[in-house]
Structure formats: structure tokens, C-alpha cells
């Protein structure tokens, strides 16, 4: 568990996109951050108070989160003075970069000297059990995609926000670096040793109130040959009661695999549901989430209607229109089922 | 790569079953071992010359393989003197135990002092790439099972033996500890980090002669909720041209999961073939391998005929009757296809 409140480190971000992670934290957990730290030349701005590490610590911040990524996912030389200052001021540091904080000698030394923690969220922080497949109380919803990066995290975060607004019990369950940094906890499932993937997801989604929904962030796709094993472990470890299908209709081929076409939404539905029923015979597909960012509004609307009609399932772009339609569907599934 | 020839360490095995691994090496790679090392009280016997570590080294052995398992997979105190002697005599040591050789201080010290290698085959020895899904030359056959421990390794080893006898090009590709110790190399896929599982299998089965078959040892089952992700990574990383279905008909429930019934052979066929076609549209199921050890010969024969009839596929127990029928099927698939 990463301690909050955060101060968001934007570094020398060359443009707003480089600070996508900080933006995600601000969008989904605005209450978790009290300020931002920017270096000269920074072109990103979260519209939060600018602070030094010391000022952030004095204002109550517990963790500096590296909210910026540069090419190659390394820790820039230009950041080191500020990061060291943060540790000396009493802050922990959290990072989702490929290059680990723990491998930077200056930071490791400063963390030890000041008894601070370095959270490398790409490294599993604990050991996980082998999955036992036992039923758990409470309800679980999982996003499954036609490809990587089609909106699986976004959809679950948007549904959580809407469910909390309605006073429904729901917890977003992060399974990737970004989601873990946004919410402060989770399992970096693609970094877990193969034998323990499904067990890690069982542990992430334990027994809960009968009317509580775990909203599990999906990863990869059953049809993405590089990562499909992770996707299946999420289905079998998550034992979902409900699935939301995620798709990006303008994608030309599977991400990183130019030779592979995308599966149809029907293929995603059939394969994911078949596999989910192995572990949870009650599982149902409750809706479809479309990432229509590559379409005009008119084209997106026509596409959403067409898919809704064809699939006979609620179909929405939660970024454009909110997740209300998906939460309606989840709630009505829950009511019918109980 | 583990250096041969081996000397097989049977320790103080309380019964022949405890030396199952040594038996596997003797059955499948008889030429790879020149003798056995037994301690007082050992009740297993490979009918090979008994040796001391020193005598084994003098006779040309390169590696002592721990061919015995005791409860909990630990390295017994009673073995340490002999294992240390082996290192001093110039032998490497290889082990598939849960408890690692590298964590035994005495052995680590002796290995360093004598410049010998300790092979813990449950630890991946290298880093693997992310799978790129690119087609490779050569042919690949994979065993997929209704459950764990239904004969997936045995079937591939039996087919390799039969293919070599017929002068066909084939290589068994080990993906588990036992297979790696039997053949001296492979990928312990269940110990690989999730993101690299499929890539590790691609690396294990590289470009080859157009008429060469990789015979890939399957793991787990798409229907075993603890390990299904590993099974799918094998399908997508292996990109098989041919699948052999493996089943044990007397099993009452999925191994280690008392609440889970076994899938039908039809379910295994349909799900594995569907997933294999994502990466290799030419993939075909060529036969069925039955582990009929729990059946009388009469009952086994009736069952094999019934399944062959029902599935319209060659069906055999390779332990009882050899793998000839499966190799016939593989060869005729290859001929039709080319």
C-alpha cells in the first residue's frame, strides 16, 4: 500500500502527454494529491499548487509519485537531486517506470539513510499463492478486450466513480502499473511468476459483502499472442460474475503485432464467457465499452447504435458519455440474479 | 544446457516411486547416464553400476542429477556429504527440487571453490523476450490436456522415440522440471514471469528444417483455473501445427481442485484448436493420447475404441501400445499439408 496524500512529480515533461500518469491520478483520485513538483522546462501542469519536496512534506504529503514518463522508461539524471531531496524531506517515492528506483544507488542510499520506502510498482512486492478456485462472497466484474490498450482500466475506473456516486459498493482492483499508482495498491500481474498469476488475482479480490462489486482491471487480450496467458489468468483468478467487453474500432491490427487482425466483438464475447464459465457458471456479459476516440461524434454514435443493435447489449463510450449505461446494466444483472 | 553424461543420485529413496525422475531419465535417455549413487537404506535401483562420486567423475560423468524427491522437495541433510564430494570430484549438480541447491550454503561454497555449476531447473536461467508472434519455419506439435498430470510429457517423449526410430526429424522440447532434467535443456515455463511466457516458448522452438517437428511438452490445462494462463501461453508461443489431446478417464476432479469436474475431450479439442488458430490457422488436432493406467486392459481397449469412434481421431495409450498410431497421424497430416 502506497501512503497518501501524494505530491505529483512532473519533472521536465516535454508535453502534457508525458505526464499522462499524473493526469490519471488527478482525474480518478483528485483527493489523493496535494500538489505538484515541476522542474525548469516542464510543459505539463495539473493546475495544482507548485511545491518543493520540503514544502510538500510540511503540508502533509507522504509519497512523491513519479507522474511522468520519458523515452525508454528510465530515471532521468535531471530528476535525481529533487528525488533525493524528497527522501531527505521524509517522503517515500513511487514509480511505475521500467527502470527501478531500487537500482539507482543514490536513491537507494538516501532511502536507507532516511528510512523511506521506494515503491517500484512493476516489481511484485510480495509472494502470491497458487489459485485454489474456491468461490468467494461478493460480486466481481472484469473488463476483457479485443486488444491491449482499448480502455479496460478506464472503463472500470469510470464505473467505480459512477457506482460511488449512486452509493453502490464498488472497489476498483488495479492489475497494472498505472492503476496501482492511481489507487495506491494492486497486483502488477504481468510481472508475477506464471504459476501464481491466478492466485494473485484471487488474493486481490477476496471475500466481500454480498452486494459489493470488485471492478477488476483486465490486461491484454485472449487474442493477443504475447499476453493472452495473463488475460486468461485474470478470468480464472477473478472468477467474474460479469464481463464488460472493450474494443477500439479503428485499430488496424493487434498492438505491436502487424500481422494479426483484431478479433470481432463476438469472438471476444464467446471466448471470454466460455472460459469464465469454467470457474463461475453464473457469469454473464453485461455490456460493451467502446473507445471511440478515433471517430467523430456522429460516426461514434452511429457505431455505438449499430453494435448495441447487433450484440443486443448496452454499448457506450464511457469517456464521451460516462459509464451510467454500464452501471445500469450491472445493477439490473445483480437484481435479476439475487 | 546440463552437461552429460550423468550419474543418477538416488539418495536414501524409501521406495522406487521416490526415484521417479531417475527412472524417467533411464527410460527416455538411457545413453545419458553411466551409473547410480545410492546411500544406505536406498530402496530404488536403476540397475546401473553403483558408484561413488569420485568413481563417476573418473568414468567420465559430468553432472550428478538428483533423481529422487522426498516430502516437501527439500534437500535432505543426509545427502549433503555426498553432494559436496561430487562437487569436489569435479561434477556439476542438477536438481528439480523446490528447495534450491543455490540456497544450501555448503553446496554453494563447494561449487564456487571447485568452479562447478549448480543447476536449479525450477529457476529460469536466462531472461526471455516478449513473444512477437512471427511465423517460424519447421513444424510444431503440442500436447494439450483435460487436466494436469495426464501424460502430456510422456506422450511427446514417446512420439519422439518413435519418430527417431523411423528416421524422422523431431526434437522433444521440455517445458517442465522433469522434462528439462531428462533432456538436459528447456524452459521451466511455470517459473517464468507472466509477460515473457509465450516469448520463452517461441525461443524454445526456433526456425528449423521444413520437415522437422518440435514436440512441445504441454503444461496444465485451459480448464485448470490455477494454471490455465500457462497453458494458453504454450499454445500462443508454440504456434502448433498439430495438437494431441491428452486425457485420463478415471480422474474424478481437476487435480488439486475437488470442486471442479474435468472437461470433456470435445471441450479440450474445441477450446485449444480455437486458440491455436489465432496464431496458426493451419493447426489441426491429429490424435488423442489416453492415460489408461487406472483401467484393466479390457476396459482400456473398449474405451480407446469408443473414443476413437466418437471423436473420429486416432486414439491410443502410448504407454501400453507405443506412440506409433500418433506418429502415423502426424506424418499423414504433414504429407497432406505439404
Amino acid at each position: 500500500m502506497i501512503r497518501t496524500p501524494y505530491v505529483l512529480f512532473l519533472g521536465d515533461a516535454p508535453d502534457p502527454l508525458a505526464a499522462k500518469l499524473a493526469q490519471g491520478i488527478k482525474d480518478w483520485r483528485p483527493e489523493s494529491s496535494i500538489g505538484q513538483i515541476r522542474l525548469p522546462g516542464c510543459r505539463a501542469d495539473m493546475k495544482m499548487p507548485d511545491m518543493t519536496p520540503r514544502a510538500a512534506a510540511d503540508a502533509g504529503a507522504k509519497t512523491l509519485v513519479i507522474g511522468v514518463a520519458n523515452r525508454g522508461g528510465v530515471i532521468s539524471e535531471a530528476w535525481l537531486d529533487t528525488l533525493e531531496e524528497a527522501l531527505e524531506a521524509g517522503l517515500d517515492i513511487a514509480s511505475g517506470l521500467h527502470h527501478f528506483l531500487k537500482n539507482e544507488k543514490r536513491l537507494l542510499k538516501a532511502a536507507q539513510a532516511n528510512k523511506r520506502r521506494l515503491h517500484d510498482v512493476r516489481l511484485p512486492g510480495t509472494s502470491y499463492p497458487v489459485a485454489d478456485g474456491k468461490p468467494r462472497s461478493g460480486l466481481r466484474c472484469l473488463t476483457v478486450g479485443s486488444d491491449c490498450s482499448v480502455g479496460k482500466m478506464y472503463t472500470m475506473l469510470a464505473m467505480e466513480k459512477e457506482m460511488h456516486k449512486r452509493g453502490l459498493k464498488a472497489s476498483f482492483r488495479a492489475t497494472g502499473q498505472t492503476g496501482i499508482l492511481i489507487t495506491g495498491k494492486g497486483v502488477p500481474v504481468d510481472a508475477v511468476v506464471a504459476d501464481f498469476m491466478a492466485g494473485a488475482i484471487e488474493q486481490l479480490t477476496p471475500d466481500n459483502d454480498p452486494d459489493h462489486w470488485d471492478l477488476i482491471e483486465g490486461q491484454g487480450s485472449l487474442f493477443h499472442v504475447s499476453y493472452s496467458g495473463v488475460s486468461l489468468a485474470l478470468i480464472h483468478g477473478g472468477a467474474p460474475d460479469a464481463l464488460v467487453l472493450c474494443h477500439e474500432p479503428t485499430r488496424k491490427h493487434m498492438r505491436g503485432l502487424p500481422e494479426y487482425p483484431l478479433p470481432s466483438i463476438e469472438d471476444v464475447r464467446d471466448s471470454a464467457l466460455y472460459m469464465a464459465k469454467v470457474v463461475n457458471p453464473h457469469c454473464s456479459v453485461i455490456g460493451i465499452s467502446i473507445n471511440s476516440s478515433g471517430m467523430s461524434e456522429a460516426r461514434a454514435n452511429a457505431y455505438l447504435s449499430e453494435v448495441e443493435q447487433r450484440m443486443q447489449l448496452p454499448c457506450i463510450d464511457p469517456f464521451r458519455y460516462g459509464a451510467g449505461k454500464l452501471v445500469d446494466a450491472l445493477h439490473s444483472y445483480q437484481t435479476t440474479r439475487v
Side-chain angles (χ1 to χ4, degrees), chain A:
Chain A
M1 182 86 201
I2 304 169
R3 295 187 308 153
T4 54
Y6 298 159
V7 58
L8 303 177
F9 178 74
L10 310 185
D12 45 1
D15 54 47
L17 202 66
K20 206 170 64 167
L21 175 65
Q23 190 66 51
I25 297 175
K26 196 199 159 190
D27 288 347
W28 298 109
R29 291 290 186 273
E31 72 288 1
S32 73
S33 306
I34 59 166
Q36 61 187 9
I37 297 173
R38 301 195 292 167
L39 299 179
C42 180
R43 299 225 172 137
D45 184 1
M46 296 300 127
K47 314 277 184 209
M48 291 175 151
D50 281 299
M51 296 177 164
T52 63
R54 174 67 62 189
D58 289 348
K62 301 293 183 202
T63 305
L64 178 153
V65 175
I66 297 186
V68 55
N70 52 24
R71 201 176 277 274
V74 300
I75 294 163
S76 161
E77 273 290 310
W79 302 350
L80 285 178
D81 286 344
T82 310
L83 297 181
E84 197 174 42
E85 264 175 68
L87 294 165
E88 284 164 0
L91 298 172
D92 295 337
I93 302 181
S95 159
L97 298 173
H98 273 285
H99 189 88
F100 298 134
L101 298 168
K102 290 185 175 65
N103 292 341
E104 281 293 328
K105 279 186 195 142
R106 268 179 75 187
L107 298 183
L108 189 62
K109 215 172 134 189
Q112 283 164 345
N114 295 282
K115 299 203 170 59
R116 294 297 99 211
R117 296 187 60 184
L118 300 175
H119 297 279
D120 285 303
V121 301
R122 278 179 194 269
L123 279 177
T126 177
S127 63
Y128 300 104
V130 168
D132 65 15
K134 293 210 190 303
R136 285 154 284 162
S137 54
L139 297 159
R140 283 156 200 87
C141 177
L142 170 70
T143 38
V144 292
S146 54
D147 195 2
C148 302
S149 309
V150 292
K152 293 184 288 288
M153 182 186 78
Y154 190 98
T155 302
M156 292 280 87
L157 283 164
M159 286 179 69
E160 188 200 40
K161 193 172 181 176
E162 175 68 19
M163 290 174 81
H164 285 175
K165 209 162 75 183
R166 298 189 191 183
L168 300 171
K169 295 182 194 169
S171 308
F172 173 80
R173 299 299 188 188
T175 62
Q177 291 77 24
T178 307
I180 295 172
L181 285 173
I182 289 176
T183 61
K185 60 186 175 180
V187 167
V189 62
D190 57 10
V192 170
V193 164
D195 252 359
F196 308 106
M197 297 183 293
I201 302 305
E202 287 186 347
Q203 198 174 75
L204 180 69
T205 58
D207 281 324
N208 216 315
D209 295 347
D211 58 343
H212 174 276
W213 282 96
D214 276 328
L215 302 172
I216 310 170
E217 177 193 3
Q219 293 291 338
S221 165
L222 288 176
F223 296 85
H224 194 295
V225 300
S226 313
Y227 308 117
S228 55
V230 176
S231 309
L232 186 52
L234 273 154
I235 293 174
H236 283 165
D241 301 279
L243 295 172
V244 175
L245 314 178
C246 297
H247 183 59
E248 203 280 70
T250 68
R251 187 101 22 122
K252 296 279 182 286
H253 59 74
M254 297 297 281
R255 195 174 160 91
L257 304 173
E259 295 89 351
Y260 289 80
L262 263 74
S264 68
I265 302 178
E266 284 85 344
D267 286 341
V268 178
R269 174 194 63 197
D270 294 346
S271 59
L273 192 58
Y274 182 83
M275 280 297 153
K277 286 189 179 224
V278 169
V279 59
N280 187 343
H282 302 293
C283 185
S284 180
V285 175
I286 61 107
I288 302 167
S289 174
I290 299 293
N291 174 348
S292 70
S293 56
M295 295 170 145
S296 68
E297 185 148 2
R299 205 175 139 219
N301 286 338
Y303 181 81
L304 292 171
S305 303
E306 185 268 310
V307 173
E308 188 159 287
Q309 194 63 32
R310 191 178 93 217
M311 305 288 295
Q312 294 288 301
L313 280 168
C315 177
I316 199 74
D317 179 338
F319 183 80
R320 274 195 152 119
Y321 302 109
K325 208 171 193 173
L326 295 172
V327 172
D328 292 346
L330 195 67
H331 197 61
S332 90
Y333 162 74
Q334 181 180 346
T335 324
T336 334
R337 197 188 142 176
V338 174

